[in-house]
């Protein structure tokens, strides 16, 4: 297939293609998670428990195994816990072995209104594949206020474990976890609880999925715009329909790239791509001063965002 035989697409077509690709990838992830047994990476690899188990979900770990279900939407020390959302000195990381329910309102009675069990089953099917490997670390950082920097009391209790957790946590930059946290809190405030997962961990994973889907669509549009601007400037004899086809082809290749799964899982790739590609799209239009803004935010998402400074130097020296 040549570029001329490829369909001519617009920005809206790119958005539709990006969303369709995310549905396909998400469905494949859910299916593979059901059919393929989980790999056991060892006890030293963090796992993120959605707690979407038991009758209605929200069971505290260990209770469901004994036929009991002590429902708890918000755990002590999570971002939903009003008692621990104050100053940095008040933040205390909860003990992952002995989890306790948050005592702040409205969680004092254990849980919010629980959605139907089939809703939790659907959420578990969709969200569980997004909590693996590095995704577990990002989600933990989004949910636990003290995960990045354990408090002094936590260090004294389990100094070696807390230091190790904190050291690993600093390898994951803060922008993506912060976006997840505040979108999750936004969903809790403005979306009926019956439409949300029955645990705050589930809401966090859902927020991460929303962010990555939105950012992936933005990245695809930025790729389209960047390609269009570059072709217009470098190939003056190229007609607009051919430019549109080439730009749409580039966006389609991005939407179905071999590493596409990492743009849906709870990783920072989609956010980083949206910011980085957005900056390049602005730079391709000749507004380098505005391109610096998304590039700067990209450095808070991934460490390799600093390489955009090389591009600024090249343009400035050129």
């Amino acid at each position: 297939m040549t570029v001329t035989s490829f369909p001519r697409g617009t920005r809206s077509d790119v958005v539709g293609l990006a969303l369709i690709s995310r549905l396909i990838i998400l469905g494949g992830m859910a299916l593979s998670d059901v059919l393929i047994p989980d790999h056991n990476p060892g006890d030293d690899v963090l796992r993120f428990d959605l707690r979407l188990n038991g009758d209605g979900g929200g069971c505290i770990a260990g209770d469901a195994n004994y036929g009991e279900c002590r429902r708890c939407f918000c755990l002590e020390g999570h971002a939903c816990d009003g008692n621990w959302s104050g100053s940095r000195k008040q933040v205390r990381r909860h003990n992952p072995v002995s989890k306790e329910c948050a005592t702040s309102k409205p969680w004092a009675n254990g849980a919010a209104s629980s959605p139907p069990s089939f809703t939790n089953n659907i959420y578990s099917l969709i969200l569980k594949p997004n909590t693996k490997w590095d995704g577990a670390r990002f989600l933990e950082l989004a949910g636990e206020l003290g995960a990045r920097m354990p408090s002094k009391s936590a260090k004294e209790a389990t100094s070696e474990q807390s230091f190790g957790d904190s050291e690993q946590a600093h390898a994951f930059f803060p922008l993506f976890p912060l976006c997840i946290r505040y979108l999750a809190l936004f969903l809790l405030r403005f979306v009926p609880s019956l439409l949300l997962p029955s645990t705050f961990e589930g809401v966090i994973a859902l927020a991460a999925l929303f962010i990555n889907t939105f950012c992936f669509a933005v990245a695809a549009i930025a790729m389209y715009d960047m390609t269009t601007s570059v072709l217009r400037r470098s190939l003056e004899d190229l007609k607009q329909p051919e430019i549109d086809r080439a730009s749409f082809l580039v966006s389609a290749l991005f939407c179905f790239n071999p590493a596409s799964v990492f743009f849906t899982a709870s990783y920072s790739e989609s956010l980083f791509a949206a910011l980085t590609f957005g900056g390049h799209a602005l730079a391709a239009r000749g507004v380098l001063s505005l391109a610096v803004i998304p590039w700067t935010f990209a450095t808070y998402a991934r460490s390799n965002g600093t390489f955009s400074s090389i591009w600024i130097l090249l343009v400035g020296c050129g």
Side-chain angles (χ1 to χ4, degrees), residues 5-75:
S5 62
F6 199 79
R8 181 182 179 183
T10 62
R11 288 185 181 87
S12 59
D13 295 326
V14 172
V15 173
L17 188 64
L19 296 179
I20 291 173
S21 70
R22 294 311 90 196
L23 289 176
I24 294 174
I25 293 297
L26 189 62
M29 293 170 64
L31 183 62
S32 63
D33 188 66
V34 172
L35 298 179
I36 303 175
D38 286 347
H39 168 68
N40 185 6
D43 296 334
D44 58 336
V45 175
L46 179 70
R47 292 172 175 81
F48 188 81
D49 185 10
L50 291 171
R51 293 193 301 115
L52 298 177
N53 49 12
D55 183 14
C59 294
I60 296 179
D63 290 348
N65 297 332
Y66 296 97
E68 300 178 358
C69 181
R70 186 158 51 102
R71 291 183 183 178
C72 180
F73 178 85
C74 179
L75 293 179

Side-chain angles (χ1 to χ4, degrees), residues 267-288:
Y267 285 45
S268 59
E269 269 76 357
S270 285
L271 177 61
F272 179 74
L275 293 170
T276 302
F277 295 168
H280 281 289
L282 292 172
R285 291 187 177 187
V287 284
L288 186 61

Side-chain angles (χ1 to χ4, degrees), residues 112-297:
S113 300
S114 298
S117 58
F118 75 89
T119 304
N120 265 335
N121 293 334
I122 294 175
Y123 275 130
S124 180
L125 178 67
I126 295 174
L127 299 177
K128 186 180 177 182
N130 297 319
T131 64
K132 310 293 185 179
W133 300 100
D134 288 356
R137 183 66 68 180
F138 280 117
L139 295 175
E140 183 193 39
L141 289 170
E144 294 192 33
L145 297 174
R148 185 173 296 278
M149 182 62 71
S151 63
K152 185 176 180 181
S153 59
K155 287 184 178 181
E156 292 174 350
T158 54
S159 57
E160 184 177 354
Q161 181 183 2
S162 298
F163 176 77
D165 290 346
S166 176
E167 190 176 51
Q168 292 180 56
H170 281 80
F172 301 89
F173 278 41
L175 182 59
F176 184 50
L178 286 175
C179 290
I180 297 174
R181 177 185 301 171
Y182 288 113
L183 178 57
L185 295 176
F186 177 86
L187 293 175
L188 284 182
R189 183 167 184 177
F190 294 103
V191 177
S193 59
L194 291 176
L195 300 179
L196 296 174
S198 60
T199 64
F200 185 61
E201 292 90 330
V203 177
I204 289 174
L206 182 63
L209 181 60
F210 284 160
I211 290 173
N212 280 346
T213 302
F214 173 78
C215 288
F216 187 85
V218 172
I221 295 174
M223 180 74 74
Y224 179 91
D225 288 347
M226 178 176 58
T227 305
T228 300
S229 299
V230 171
L231 291 177
R232 283 176 180 172
R233 186 176 67 248
S234 57
L235 300 175
E236 297 179 357
D237 296 335
L238 205 60
K239 297 180 180 179
Q240 187 61 40
E242 296 173 336
I243 293 177
D244 292 340
R245 290 190 180 94
S247 301
F248 188 59
L249 175 59
V250 170
S251 299
L253 292 174
F254 170 69
C255 289
F256 293 96
N257 72 84
S260 190
V261 64
F262 297 107
F263 292 86
T264 298
S266 302
Y267 285 45
S268 59
E269 269 76 357
S270 285
L271 177 61
F272 179 74
L275 293 170
T276 302
F277 295 168
H280 281 289
L282 292 172
R285 291 187 177 187
V287 284
L288 186 61
S289 57
L290 293 180
V292 174
I293 298 176
W295 284 343
T296 300
F297 279 103

